[in-house]
């Protein structure tokens, strides 16, 4: 192992690094590895949060309902949750509630 001069910059950096708690070191390592993506997310306003939220709601309905008898009923529940108006007798024909009000 290479002996470091106590006055060198490398020694000072390592000395500070070892004072950092292990949990923070792991976070710093992750941030360094994902730096490009973190900067990209701060630079642009695009996000997939809305889609992730809808997926989560669908999974909750699926878990809570213990399974619908048919996919048609499951789909109807999702459409109602998202405020779509389902025309009577035809599950495949639906409109967003805001479109109907206008």
């Amino acid at each position: 192992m290479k002996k470091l001069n106590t006055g060198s910059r490398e020694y000072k950096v390592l000395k500070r690094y070892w004072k950092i708690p292990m949990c923070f070191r792991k976070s710093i390592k992750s941030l360094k590895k994902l730096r490009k993506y973190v900067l990209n997310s701060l630079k642009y306003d695009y996000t997939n949060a809305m889609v992730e939220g809808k997926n989560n709601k669908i999974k909750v309905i699926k878990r809570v309902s213990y399974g619908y008898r048919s996919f048609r009923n499951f789909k109807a529940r999702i459409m109602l949750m998202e405020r779509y108006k389902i025309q009577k007798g035809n599950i495949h024909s639906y409109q967003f509630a805001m479109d109907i009000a206008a």
Side-chain angles (χ1 to χ4, degrees):
M1 193 165 138
K2 177 175 130 178
K3 188 170 183 176
L4 294 174
N5 180 7
T6 56
S8 72
R9 184 177 180 340
E10 189 178 355
Y11 175 80
K12 290 175 184 175
V13 168
L14 282 174
K15 188 176 175 185
R16 278 192 299 169
Y17 177 77
W18 289 112
K19 287 183 179 179
I20 298 173
M22 191 61 163
C23 58
F24 289 129
R25 280 190 242 160
K26 190 171 182 180
S27 298
I28 290 168
K29 186 177 179 181
S30 296
L31 282 173
K32 282 182 180 179
K33 189 167 82 171
L34 301 171
R35 183 177 193 266
K36 175 177 143 183
Y37 304 109
V38 171
L39 291 174
N40 198 33
S41 69
L42 294 172
K43 185 176 179 182
Y44 299 105
D45 291 333
Y46 303 120
T47 179
N48 65 344
M50 293 294 288
V51 175
E52 290 292 333
K54 289 180 191 292
N55 283 338
N56 188 37
K57 283 182 181 180
I58 291 170
K59 287 179 182 179
V60 168
I61 288 173
K62 190 175 174 183
R63 187 171 45 246
V64 169
S65 68
Y66 301 109
Y68 282 94
R69 286 186 167 217
S70 69
F71 180 74
R72 183 173 178 244
N73 293 341
F74 181 63
K75 184 177 176 182
R77 176 68 178 115
I78 293 168
M79 294 301 155
L80 289 172
M81 176 192 71
E82 290 299 320
R83 294 193 177 107
Y84 281 92
K85 181 172 181 181
I86 301 168
Q87 293 178 354
K88 191 172 185 178
N90 189 0
I91 185 75
H92 302 294
S93 177
Y94 45 84
Q95 288 182 309
F96 195 60
M98 298 297 178
D99 296 340
I100 295 167

